[in-house]
Amino acid sequence: MIYLDAAATTPVRREVLEAMWPYLTGDFGNASSHHELGARAHEALEGARAEVAGVLGCRPSEVTFTSGGTEADNLAVKGIALARRAADPRRTRIAVSAIEHPAVLESARSLARLHGFAVDVVPVDAQGRVAPEALAGLLGPETAVASVMYANNEVGTVQPAAELSAVARAARVPFHTDAVQAAGWLPLGVGELGVDALSISGHKLGAPKGVGALFVAGRTVVEPLIDGGGQERGLRSGTENVAGAVALATALRLAEQERTTAGERLALLRDRFIGRVLDSVPDAVLTGHPTERLPGSASFCFPRVSGESVLLELERRGVVCSSGSACAAGSSDPSHVLLALGLEPAVAQTAVRFTLPGTVTAEELDAASAAVIEAHDVVAGLGMR
Ligand code: PLP
């Protein structure tokens, strides 16, 4: 099988499994326990926090471990919005980009439904970028929080995050970015990015599913969403997932060490793959930004050819990818991301997304591009060339 769905998830790396193993077995203690086993678990948890903080360039106390990217996004958007409004009742609006992951979009909708916030949706251009002026135009003294993702999971477009955060800072609005897809591929220094909050998720990086982290700048107040024993400085109660935190920290550190070399290699392979598909399928449209995109991201629309059918034909040929985002799987509605880029619904239905893992080889991609061309032609009724 040729796995080209790395944006959906990645396998756990061996080094990561080895690093987390002791905390699932011999050193299985509860990090809050006051005995030797607890102390060892606590030490591992704090070591993992320091490691994540090292990559993000922040203080360890600014890192909160969560159950994944979805929880990190919820905590950022809801937690900051609710805390801001509690401090200043005029703060009743939230700004989110039109192409956010549902973890952010639905958090904003939930704040609207349950807490009376108004949601301002920041548009994107045809390549999926948010213009700083567009964000600036929507922020004001009523805005409680703004959230614009660093890189998009469907089309791979990378945002000018530092410019956007500067706009938010000028408007005195806390700025969150969902860096779940960016982590491992783009610089994550929160100082350079100028963000107040940033989410990451383990399973996109070679750590297991079910662990993530949220950076929140010390100056930014957040209302917890999960109450209980007060773990994670009261921001996220619940017995800490020590092995998960160690796994996330290890995966993030390794990805950061390899980032430049791996990213350059992958971008070259991706461009060759994109070139082959575009050359052989004249109708194919590359979605997202031509250059400002994640190194492993190649997403297309094949007008008049059902994306789901192409997917099935590809799977029969041993190539696994996705028609839209895995999180929206099961829904046959066209992707909100592609609609926001201005594509017609009928064209958006033809989307096929390839997201290359860092381990992919040139041979695999050559085989995959041949399979794409074949699958397209079969579904389009062109027969075999
Ligand atoms: N944000 C983005 C951009 C994603 O791609 C995903 C997962 O697909 C998430 C958030 C959710 O992360 P998790 O699966 O860890 O809950």
Side-chain angles (χ1 to χ4, degrees), residues 118-141:
V119 181
D120 294 309
V121 177
V122 191
V124 294
D125 65 18
Q127 290 155 349
R129 298 257 283 183
V130 171
E133 312 77 61
L135 179 65
L138 286 177
L139 302 183

Side-chain angles (χ1 to χ4, degrees), residues 289-302:
H289 199 281
T291 54
E292 296 302 314
R293 64 189 302 136
L294 287 171
S297 168
S299 50
F300 302 94
C301 284
F302 298 116

Side-chain angles (χ1 to χ4, degrees), residues 7-8 68-70 73 101 103 149 151 153 178 180-181 201 203-204 327:
T70 299
D73 284 347
H101 187 274
M149 69 202 314
N153 47 307
D178 173 339
V180 166
Q181 295 292 344
S201 169
H203 73 106
K204 315 288 183 178
C327 308

Side-chain angles (χ1 to χ4, degrees), residues 146-279:
S147 182
V148 179
M149 69 202 314
Y150 195 177
N152 181 262
N153 47 307
E154 292 189 38
V155 295
T157 299
V158 176
Q159 299 297 337
E163 284 176 59
L164 298 175
S165 72
V167 163
R169 198 163 43 255
R172 306 174 70 82
V173 171
F175 184 80
H176 164 251
T177 195
D178 173 339
V180 166
Q181 295 292 344
W185 300 112
L186 301 177
L188 289 185
V190 293
E192 292 74 18
L193 290 172
V195 297
D196 301 289
L198 176 146
S199 314
I200 59 173
S201 169
H203 73 106
K204 315 288 183 178
L205 280 169
K209 295 158 190 65
V211 64
L214 178 69
F215 154 78
V216 185
R219 60 184 177 272
T220 306
V221 185
V222 189
E223 192 64 39
L225 304 182
I226 299 180
D227 298 305
Q231 290 91 341
E232 298 292 290
R233 300 173 322 288
L235 261 191
R236 202 283 181 179
S237 286
T239 302
E240 300 92 336
N241 176 2
V242 178
V246 168
L248 173 62
T250 308
L252 188 65
R253 172 174 48 78
L254 292 172
E256 182 60 22
Q257 283 163 4
E258 298 160 2
R259 183 165 60 79
T260 314
T261 323
E264 282 168 7
R265 186 190 89 93
L266 202 58
L268 284 175
L269 291 174
R270 173 206 61 194
D271 288 343
R272 199 164 88 134
F273 175 74
I274 290 175
R276 288 197 167 186
V277 172
L278 293 180
D279 283 351

Side-chain angles (χ1 to χ4, degrees), residues 2 17 24-25 35 49 62 78 117 139 152 168 174 177 179-180 211-212 219 225 233 253 283 305 346 378 384:
I2 303 175
L17 197 57
L24 294 166
T25 52
H35 48 62
R49 200 186 308 282
E62 295 174 314
K78 295 179 185 170
F117 281 84
L139 302 183
N152 181 262
T177 195
V180 166
V211 64
R219 60 184 177 272
L225 304 182
R233 300 173 322 288
R253 172 174 48 78
D283 274 2
V305 175
V378 167
M384 305 283 269

